[in-house]
Amino acid sequence: MRAAVLTAPGIEHLRVQDVPVPEPMTGWVRVKVMAFGLNRSEYRSVTGQAGGMTYPRVLGIEASGVVDLDPDGALAPGTQVATMMGGMGRVLDGGTLLVRGGTSALGLAAGALARDRGCRVLATSRR
């Protein structure tokens, strides 16, 4: 698969390259990414402002696409999904969604979609 890979801090170390297709762990799904964006966290990774980074690092933690493989069978192949950084969207109960980073583009979209489906939406933001 093609991926945006950062091999060291600095934009000059960011390349689109072929990497092995990952196998999802139990409880995870594999997504065929159709579009992705680089968020503030990844900007900090590229510019060397984020501590504790290991390289190489595949960027694009906020993405949209379709389920390619779900070992648990909860989501059918072809199901449209959006991914968010590190648990940024959590269902608290059957009708409440907590969106961390509620002012990000994906956070706003997730909140709007959840509200349209009758969920109560709670959101956090850095400021």
Side-chain angles (χ1 to χ4, degrees), residues 17-99:
Q17 62 187 56
D18 289 313
V19 298
V21 175
E23 290 299 320
M25 301 182 290
T26 300
W28 290 45
V29 299
R30 186 172 64 202
V31 175
K32 179 179 180 182
V33 174
M34 308 305 279
F36 76 94
L38 300 180
N39 66 18
R40 182 178 178 88
S41 171
E42 292 167 315
Y43 169 79
R44 293 175 58 81
S45 297
V46 170
T47 59
Q49 298 175 38
M53 292 283 122
T54 57
Y55 301 95
R57 181 173 208 80
V58 175
L59 303 182
I61 54 181
E62 292 186 355
S64 63
V66 296
V67 172
D68 179 47
L69 178 63
D70 179 359
D72 299 334
L75 295 174
T79 301
Q80 293 180 343
V81 296
T83 66
M84 297 172 75
M85 180 176 100
M88 288 181 73
R90 298 239 169 105
V91 176
L92 300 176
D93 58 39
T96 303
L97 174 69
L98 170 63
V99 180

